[in-house]
Amino acid sequence: MKARRNKKQIPSFRKLIKTSKVKLENKLKNKQFKQQSTLKKYRKEQRKLRQAVKDAVSKKPIPLENPKEKRPGKRIEREEEEEEALPLDMMDEDDLQLMKDLGQRASFLTRDLSSSEPVHAKKRKHERIIDKYEKIPRALQTAPEKELIHLLPIKDESGIIPQTREKPVTDSNKDEEDQEEERELEEEITEDPIQELTIEEHLIERKKKLQEKKMHIAALASAILSDPESNIKKLKELRSMLMEQDPDVAVTVRKLVIVSLMELFKDITPSYKIRPLTEAEKSTKTRKETQKLREFEEGLVSQYKFYLENLEQMVKDWKQRKLKKSNVVSLKAYKGLAEVAVKSLCELLVALPHFNFHNNIIVLIVPLMNDVSKSISEMCCEAVKKLFKQDKLGQASLGVIKVISGFVKGRNYEVRPEMLKTFLCLRIKEVEVKKDTEDINKPKKFMTFKEKRKSLSRMQRKWKKAEEKLERELREAEASESAEKKLKLHTETLNIVFVTYFRILKKAQRSPLLPAVLEGLAKFAHLINVEFFDDLLVVLHTLIESGDLSYQESLHCVQTAFHILSGQGDVLNIDPMKFYTHLYKTLFKLHAGATNEGVEIVLQCLDVMLTKRRKQVSQQRALAFIKRLCTLALHVLPNSSIGILATTRILMHTFPKTDLLLDSESQGSGVFLPELDEPEYCNAQNTALWELHALRRHYHPIVQRFAAHLIAGAPSEGSGALKPELSRRSAAELFEAYSMAEMTFNPPVESSNPKIKGKVLQGDSFLNEDLNQLIKRYSSEVATELPLDFTKYLKTSLH
């Protein structure tokens, strides 16, 4: 029954995705409201019951004279009431005496409801009246009566017995409800009187407490690590310290316990998922070792679940700005606790993707990737990236991608771009293709007995049988997952990624997510189905022509288009001239300022557009791009200049006839038009690369070497050739290697005045000879004391 109740309380992963956050909060509020109303109703009923008992037992109980006598009817009671209502002076003496006698007898008004049976109850046979009299205790009236509190009566063999308690003497006349509430508050706030300590004493006391707690945590953790199966119950003791109530060390102790438990779970968790036992497995008898292992696994899963719930509650308390009743932890400290909790969740997300409740951790982490706090958002994004990079099979990545896709859609694409940039870390290099290509590479099948008998001899059949048996055993013993399952998971993951990308392209073209989408499409474009290529190229061209994109976004569009055309798009007959024109036009938007970051994308685009598509590129287009790249190298940072010149060197090798740019003579008709945005018609053959002579005098030595190398015609051998460390690197690698992002100059600048070893300058050698003599003369003079007169300076200043 316990397992079922827990299962109902915690919704499944699929239900968590479908259920909105608002709906869950409303359910929680309704549940709390019902609990409060039920508690109020119960208190009200108890108060009414106590009041009724108090009213009923307001007088001292008097036994009945003769229970067998009939009770007077309603008419007689009314007559008595009427008679009592008459004034005493109008009654006779006999009537007055009769009334007094009646007053001493038991009537309805003087009968105790708690000590006697109701009127309509059946009379018991063999009931002795004398025994009843004997049971009632005698009490002297001399003792002062004490005020009693009447409690609920209890029933015994002898009948109903009233319960009372002495009422404490109080000066204030407050309501019973107020007194009860005060009593409850007093019980809660019964604390020892606070000792007045100085700040130093308080700090010493806190340090002492903290050291004791640290030693306790360390002892528990080491005991669990030494023998996890025997000491699994100590996990509960360690987890109970998450509720530390001492205000001096509460925050620090809770943080230490969170981190300690996280490291413990990483160490003692097995490398498989623990499933719940079936009823049949529970009923069967097992060995002691098996039973001990089952208890360990059950305890581990239980404590791991409660630990994750504690971490989730800490994050929720910080988000909702809620304080607990104890007020041990302040609101400011809640943020620190929440950060440690999120960090632990991120560690567990990466370290235990195979273990239980991993999907629950994903559901907690993904919304925090879009958190307002930048530190928490970056922490969660980095954890997801790390998970994508190390996930070889793709099962955990698929779970994260599903939740991110649903979250982005639910927020109407108003999320941080960093969430979508995590997709770039996915390890997807190939996916399932159509069946017609799969039929070409059919899986290897073993030969049948008839085929062996026809084609093989007896000895060959024997060897073949042994080989097939060995191959089957190797397949069964292989620990890694099959390639088919991996391909299936990768295909499903990439489908969800492309659905998210295409939704943003269709519905949110002006969203800040667009650069991340275009960058992702550029990376995975070769895996897109060929059927979508035409539509996707039209969308990309429309985005570029709209003019709403920044230079970097438009460069991503160009990069995506050429990645599509360089993969499966080779079979398509599409002329991408408009994308060449756009890149040629965009180059001059780059400079040494903020747009210098776009140079890396430009280098990647040039590699795909010109080098890899050399057969589709004309000589005029190559000349125009080389000329514009050399001009661009003049006004960018040194690392960008090196990357651009490296690309120019590759283009000169790819298109040998472009060496005419190193000659001052014109080729053909026309004049070079540098302002024209069409690379095919700018007459680049009639110009020369004069920019290389300016770059030859650049302050960066590597730029100088590249410029001199290109002026010499980019030779691969001889005096003008580059060193292997420069010639073998790609343009993107050189751009990264000589980057100045960390404010360092590569290669380091040589000092202008190097120190000469063995010669140390001392004393007066730093000074001039005349200056030395002057200093000696003034220092040798004896200082004479003169009277100080400040009044003359005061008078002059006043004048």
Side-chain angles (χ1 to χ4, degrees):
M1 293 296 288
K2 189 175 180 182
R4 286 182 185 174
R5 185 166 62 251
N6 290 342
K7 193 174 181 182
K8 286 182 181 178
Q9 287 176 357
I10 296 171
S12 63
F13 168 63
R14 192 176 296 279
K15 190 174 179 183
L16 273 174
I17 293 174
K18 291 181 180 178
T19 311
S20 64
K21 188 179 178 183
V22 179
K23 192 172 180 182
L24 290 173
E25 288 179 354
N26 289 340
K27 280 186 178 180
L28 185 63
K29 287 178 183 177
N30 289 339
K31 189 177 178 183
Q32 291 175 351
F33 178 74
K34 282 181 183 178
Q35 289 175 354
Q36 290 174 1
S37 61
T38 308
L39 195 62
K40 285 181 182 178
K41 191 175 178 182
Y42 175 74
R43 284 180 180 172
K44 193 174 180 181
E45 288 176 356
Q46 291 294 321
R47 197 161 55 247
K48 284 183 179 179
L49 189 59
R50 284 197 295 270
Q51 188 63 36
V53 173
K54 186 177 180 182
D55 292 343
V57 197
S58 57
K59 294 185 179 180
K60 188 176 178 182
I62 299 172
L64 294 172
E65 286 183 354
N66 190 3
K68 291 184 179 179
E69 291 180 4
K70 292 183 179 179
R71 287 175 65 249
K74 295 181 181 178
R75 189 180 60 183
I76 298 172
E77 287 176 2
R78 287 174 189 162
E79 289 175 0
E80 285 177 1
E81 286 175 4
E82 289 174 2
E83 287 176 1
E84 284 179 4
L86 293 173
L88 294 176
D89 54 358
M90 292 179 68
M91 292 184 183
D92 295 338
E93 290 183 1
D94 298 336
D95 296 335
L96 188 63
Q97 185 63 34
L98 180 64
M99 291 298 297
K100 287 180 180 178
D101 292 342
L102 286 171
Q104 294 297 322
R105 293 176 187 175
S107 66
F108 178 78
L109 295 175
T110 59
R111 188 153 53 87
D112 184 15
L113 293 176
S114 63
S115 62
S116 61
E117 294 180 357
V119 178
H120 58 270
K122 293 180 180 180
K123 307 295 180 184
R124 293 182 182 176
K125 292 181 180 181
H126 311 294
E127 194 176 31
R128 301 178 67 182
I129 302 170
I130 299 171
D131 293 341
K132 273 195 172 185
Y133 278 112
E134 291 297 330
K135 285 178 183 177
I136 298 171
R138 276 74 172 171
L140 296 173
Q141 296 293 331
T142 54
E145 293 185 0
K146 294 182 180 180
E147 195 171 357
L148 301 176
I149 297 173
H150 294 274
L151 306 175
L152 290 174
I154 60 173
K155 192 171 182 180
D156 196 352
E157 292 179 357
S158 59
I160 297 173
I161 303 170
Q163 298 290 318
T164 58
R165 190 177 70 185
E166 291 184 8
K167 187 176 181 180
V169 182
T170 52
D171 297 335
S172 59
N173 298 323
K174 293 184 179 180
D175 296 333
E176 190 175 351
E177 187 177 354
D178 297 340
Q179 289 177 0
E180 285 177 5
E181 290 177 0
E182 286 180 5
R183 208 173 294 123
E184 288 174 1
L185 289 171
E186 285 174 4
E187 288 175 2
E188 287 180 1
I189 315 172
T190 51
E191 295 179 355
D192 298 333
I194 300 169
Q195 299 178 357
E196 293 184 1
L197 300 172
T198 62
I199 296 173
E200 291 180 1
E201 290 174 347
H202 187 74
L203 289 173
I204 293 168
E205 186 70 21
R206 181 185 178 278
K207 193 175 180 182
K208 187 179 177 183
K209 287 180 185 176
L210 196 59
Q211 190 63 28
E212 289 175 1
K213 295 288 182 183
K214 284 181 180 178
M215 293 300 292
H216 188 45
I217 293 168
L220 288 172
S222 61
I224 295 166
L225 279 176
S226 60
D227 190 1
E229 291 187 6
S230 302
N231 299 321
I232 192 65
K233 291 183 179 179
K234 292 192 176 180
L235 266 178
K236 185 177 180 181
E237 186 181 349
L238 184 58
R239 192 177 56 80
S240 65
M241 294 180 73
L242 285 173
M243 301 297 127
E244 178 64 42
Q245 297 298 319
D246 191 345
D248 290 341
V249 294
V251 180
T252 310
V253 169
R254 289 184 187 187
K255 288 181 181 178
L256 289 171
V257 172
I258 289 170
V259 177
S260 302
L261 281 169
M262 181 261 293
E263 293 293 341
L264 277 173
F265 283 121
K266 282 167 64 176
D267 287 339
I268 67 175
T269 302
S271 59
Y272 54 87
K273 189 173 183 178
I274 299 172
R275 62 171 180 81
L277 297 173
T278 59
E279 293 296 330
E281 288 174 339
K282 288 179 182 177
S283 60
T284 55
K285 290 184 178 180
T286 55
R287 293 185 301 171
K288 286 184 179 180
E289 292 82 2
T290 310
Q291 189 63 29
K292 188 177 181 182
L293 180 62
R294 284 182 178 179
E295 288 175 1
F296 164 71
E297 289 178 346
E298 188 179 353
L300 178 65
V301 171
S302 174
Q303 292 304 319
Y304 187 58
K305 173 191 161 190
F306 289 135
Y307 173 63
L308 293 179
E309 286 176 355
N310 290 335
L311 296 184
E312 181 185 8
Q313 193 59 45
M314 285 179 189
V315 178
K316 280 184 179 177
D317 290 341
W318 170 61
K319 285 287 178 190
Q320 298 170 1
R321 309 288 179 189
K322 280 187 179 179
L323 275 176
K324 299 291 182 185
K325 288 182 181 178
S326 58
N327 288 333
V328 172
V329 181
S330 63
L331 274 175
K332 190 177 180 182
Y334 264 112
K335 186 179 180 183
L337 275 174
E339 285 182 351
V340 177
V342 172
K343 189 174 181 182
S344 298
L345 285 169
C346 292
E347 288 281 339
L348 293 172
L349 177 79
V350 178
L352 306 175
H354 60 277
F355 198 57
N356 302 47
F357 309 114
H358 190 255
N359 289 333
N360 301 76
I361 299 175
I362 292 169
V363 173
L364 286 175
I365 290 291
V366 168
L368 294 172
M369 292 170 69
N370 192 42
D371 197 74
V372 181
S373 173
K374 192 177 179 182
S375 59
I376 287 180
S377 174
E378 287 179 354
M379 199 188 302
C380 295
C381 289
E382 286 300 320
V384 172
K385 286 180 182 177
K386 199 171 179 182
L387 178 67
F388 286 163
K389 286 177 182 176
Q390 73 176 28
D391 187 20
K392 294 180 181 178
L393 179 60
Q395 185 73 46
S397 300
L398 179 60
V400 177
I401 290 292
K402 281 181 178 177
V403 181
I404 291 176
S405 178
F407 183 80
V408 172
K409 187 183 177 184
R411 288 296 182 93
N412 200 17
Y413 313 105
E414 294 180 0
V415 296
R416 286 176 176 263
E418 286 79 7
M419 285 190 76
L420 292 185
K421 286 184 179 177
T422 55
F423 292 178
L424 300 173
C425 297
L426 286 167
R427 296 181 61 174
I428 300 177
K429 293 181 180 177
E430 54 181 351
V431 293
E432 283 183 346
V433 290
K434 289 186 176 181
K435 289 184 179 179
D436 53 357
T437 54
E438 281 183 355
D439 293 339
I440 299 168
N441 300 319
K442 287 184 179 179
K444 184 182 177 183
K445 289 185 179 180
F446 296 114
M447 295 176 70
T448 61
F449 179 73
K450 289 182 179 179
E451 290 172 350
K452 288 178 185 175
R453 194 166 184 177
K454 284 179 183 179
S455 58
L456 302 176
S457 65
R458 187 177 177 184
M459 186 59 73
Q460 286 174 335
R461 286 201 301 270
K462 193 174 180 180
W463 278 105
K464 192 74 178 173
K465 187 178 180 181
E467 279 181 20
E468 288 176 359
K469 186 180 177 183
L470 180 62
E471 195 169 347
R472 283 195 191 97
E473 289 175 355
L474 286 172
R475 281 187 182 182
E476 289 173 3
E478 192 178 1
S480 61
E481 296 289 340
S482 64
E484 292 177 6
K485 187 176 180 181
K486 185 177 179 181
L487 275 177
K488 191 176 179 182
L489 288 170
H490 283 185
T491 306
E492 191 178 352
T493 303
L494 203 62
N495 285 341
I496 298 171
V497 170
F498 281 140
V499 165
T500 308
Y501 283 166
F502 292 155
R503 277 177 185 160
I504 294 169
L505 279 177
K506 186 178 178 182
K507 298 180 180 179
Q509 290 188 353
R510 296 189 178 181
S511 168
L513 301 176
L514 195 60
V517 169
L518 295 170
E519 196 172 350
L521 284 172
K523 180 171 182 180
F524 301 116
H526 61 288
L527 301 172
I528 303 175
N529 197 342
V530 183
E531 297 170 1
F532 299 113
F533 281 1
D534 287 334
D535 296 333
L536 194 55
L537 287 173
V538 169
V539 170
L540 293 173
H541 182 62
T542 309
L543 283 171
I544 291 171
E545 292 296 323
S546 64
D548 296 330
L549 304 181
S550 65
Y551 78 98
Q552 199 162 1
E553 292 171 1
S554 61
L555 287 174
H556 279 306
C557 282
V558 174
Q559 189 181 10
T560 305
F562 279 95
H563 270 289
I564 291 171
L565 294 173
S566 63
Q568 301 174 55
D570 283 339
V571 296
L572 300 175
N573 189 15
I574 297 173
D575 182 20
M577 186 59 202
K578 48 196 173 185
F579 293 106
Y580 281 103
T581 304
H582 180 73
L583 180 65
Y584 186 76
K585 184 168 56 177
T586 312
L587 285 177
F588 279 160
K589 291 185 179 179
L590 305 173
H591 51 73
T595 59
N596 188 71
E597 296 173 1
V599 174
E600 187 174 6
I601 307 168
V602 168
L603 296 175
Q604 294 171 4
C605 290
L606 291 168
D607 183 46
V608 178
M609 295 166 67
L610 298 173
T611 310
K612 291 182 180 177
R613 291 175 61 88
R614 59 174 69 90
K615 293 180 181 179
Q616 289 90 355
V617 177
S618 64
Q619 185 180 347
Q620 291 291 333
R621 200 181 300 174
L623 289 169
F625 269 99
I626 288 172
K627 174 63 179 174
R628 183 152 286 201
L629 284 173
C630 288
T631 309
L632 177 63
L634 290 171
H635 53 265
V636 288
L637 292 179
N639 61 324
S640 302
S641 295
I642 294 167
I644 290 168
L645 292 175
T647 304
T648 307
R649 173 179 175 270
I650 293 167
L651 291 176
M652 290 177 77
H653 286 168
T654 308
F655 304 97
K657 292 183 179 180
T658 53
D659 61 353
L660 59 89
L661 290 173
L662 301 174
D663 193 357
S664 58
E665 294 181 2
S666 60
Q667 301 286 332
S669 60
V671 182
F672 175 58
L673 303 172
E675 71 281 357
L676 192 67
D677 292 333
E678 294 290 339
E680 295 282 349
Y681 310 110
C682 66
N683 298 323
Q685 74 276 5
N686 293 325
T687 184
L689 298 179
W690 56 265
E691 295 90 354
L692 295 176
H693 290 278
L695 290 168
R696 199 174 181 180
R697 295 188 293 274
H698 198 277
Y699 64 88
H700 200 286
I702 307 297
V703 178
Q704 293 176 14
R705 287 180 203 170
F706 264 100
H709 174 68
L710 292 175
I711 288 171
S716 55
E717 294 179 354
S719 59
L722 288 175
K723 292 181 180 179
E725 62 264 18
L726 297 176
S727 61
R728 290 178 183 175
R729 288 187 180 182
S730 65
E733 289 174 352
L734 289 168
F735 177 82
E736 287 292 331
Y738 293 97
S739 174
M740 298 175 67
E742 297 179 359
M743 303 305 290
T744 54
F745 194 77
N746 185 15
V749 182
E750 296 179 358
S751 56
S752 57
N753 293 322
K755 291 182 180 179
I756 302 169
K757 292 183 179 180
K759 186 177 181 182
V760 182
L761 300 175
Q762 293 178 353
D764 300 338
S765 58
F766 285 104
L767 305 173
N768 193 1
E769 292 182 2
D770 297 334
L771 186 60
N772 276 331
Q773 292 176 4
L774 191 64
I775 289 169
K776 285 179 182 178
R777 191 181 70 186
Y778 277 104
S779 59
S780 61
E781 290 180 359
V782 180
T784 55
E785 293 184 3
L786 297 173
L788 299 175
D789 186 11
F790 295 103
T791 54
K792 59 180 180 179
Y793 300 107
L794 184 63
K795 288 176 183 176
T796 54
S797 62
L798 287 172
H799 287 303

